[in-house]
Amino acid sequence: MDFISGEIIGIDKPLGWTSFDAVKRVRGAIQRRLHLKKFKVGHAGTLDPLATGVLIVCTGRATRKIDELQSGAKEYVATIRLGATTPSFDLETAVDKEYPWQHITKERVEEVLPRFTGSIMQVPPVFSAVKVDGKRAYNLARKGKEVNLKPKALEISEMELLDFSLPEITLRIVCSKGTYIRAIARDIGEALESGAHLTALRRTRVGSIRVEDCLGVAEAVEKIANTDITYPEDYRLPEEN
């Protein structure tokens, strides 16, 4: 593998890990394999710690492709709990309100979903990295401050009901960069005259990279440790590290 010219590695990010945690492990393995103290590694598209699935890791000169890679369509499988809301729209925060959900039918869910496909406007969650006056919205929200975020345009190309097991539903969603699946959960709950929050999220595809083709973090580290290394012709090995 030529990590310096650039490799694109699909990682299946584990639950509870930040995207930085996964990148740090991959970077450390490459540094040890190349006998370097520093090496450039980045990722295309952040995943929350409570989400799992495809995280694209780029090495060396391939980090120049990050913007291009993270602009690709993304596919998710999302489990949504109806009848309850949380301030973060997921399990990061505790349930703050409960609502009736017994009136919701499978037919009603299938009737509502098309409202959230195509070109839509979405208000991001206040517990997000969106900046407000130079500060991250989640920092303001965690301090109990009021946060007003403006809606932004998104493209949801596909939304499919995979499972209907009240009070939970599971959806497959294909969307553009910048989509907050947590906000989709919020909006679907409101459309169903109830409340909702996200209880599980798995990113199954980014562009052409699918989760079944990705490596676990431990697999990636092992593969890096045992792979044959090649170097670009214009690269000069450091004399001492």
Side-chain angles (χ1 to χ4, degrees):
M1 300 181 78
D2 186 346
F3 296 112
I4 295 166
S5 290
E7 296 287 345
I8 296 172
I9 305 170
I11 297 293
D12 186 353
K13 189 191 79 66
L15 182 67
W17 287 47
T18 66
S19 298
F20 178 77
D21 290 336
V23 170
K24 184 179 179 181
R25 287 288 298 276
V26 172
R27 181 191 295 116
I30 295 172
Q31 288 174 176
R32 289 190 296 273
R33 187 68 183 86
L34 296 178
H35 306 289
L36 295 173
K37 292 181 178 178
K38 294 183 179 180
F39 190 72
K40 192 171 185 179
V41 178
H43 67 278
T46 299
L47 271 179
D48 289 341
L50 295 177
T52 66
V54 180
L55 181 72
I56 299 178
V57 176
C58 300
T59 79
R61 297 168 188 170
T63 55
R64 300 169 187 169
K65 299 181 180 179
I66 284 177
D67 286 345
E68 175 189 343
L69 291 167
Q70 66 187 8
S71 66
K74 298 172 177 65
E75 180 184 72
Y76 295 90
V77 173
T79 302
I80 297 170
R81 166 69 158 84
L82 301 172
T85 59
T86 72
S88 60
F89 310 153
D90 64 6
L91 296 178
E92 182 183 342
T93 54
V95 169
D96 59 354
K97 292 182 182 178
E98 295 189 0
Y99 301 83
W101 53 266
Q102 291 81 359
H103 64 284
I104 300 171
T105 63
K106 183 177 180 181
E107 291 72 24
R108 179 58 177 156
V109 172
E110 291 176 333
E111 179 185 313
V112 160
L113 294 186
R115 299 185 195 176
F116 302 98
T117 58
S119 298
I120 67 167
M121 298 298 291
Q122 182 186 81
V123 178
V126 293
F127 282 80
S128 67
V130 176
K131 285 191 175 182
V132 179
D133 297 328
K135 297 180 180 179
R136 298 292 185 185
Y138 60 74
N139 286 329
L140 297 172
R142 286 168 183 159
K143 293 177 181 177
K145 296 184 178 181
E146 185 175 347
V147 181
N148 294 309
L149 300 178
K150 296 180 180 179
K152 61 178 183 177
L154 301 169
E155 186 71 26
I156 311 295
S157 55
E158 297 180 50
M159 189 175 292
E160 176 187 4
L161 179 63
L162 296 179
D163 186 66
F164 180 81
S165 303
L166 289 181
E168 289 189 336
I169 60 174
T170 301
L171 305 177
R172 183 182 69 87
I173 301 168
V174 180
C175 56
S176 63
K177 172 186 174 183
T179 303
Y180 285 94
I181 307 299
R182 291 180 285 140
I184 290 178
R186 170 202 62 196
D187 295 342
I188 287 175
E190 291 176 356
L192 293 170
E193 299 179 315
S194 182
H197 64 281
L198 196 66
T199 58
L201 183 64
R202 184 156 176 80
R203 188 156 68 191
T204 51
R205 179 171 64 87
V206 177
S208 62
I209 298 178
R210 296 185 173 275
V211 70
E212 52 265 32
D213 301 321
C214 292
L215 300 171
V217 175
E219 288 179 286
V221 169
E222 183 178 359
K223 183 175 182 179
I224 291 165
N226 296 307
T227 192
D228 292 331
I229 301 295
T230 57
Y231 297 92
E233 292 182 1
D234 60 347
Y235 180 72
R236 294 182 60 186
L237 283 169
E239 295 180 2
E240 184 176 339
N241 294 293

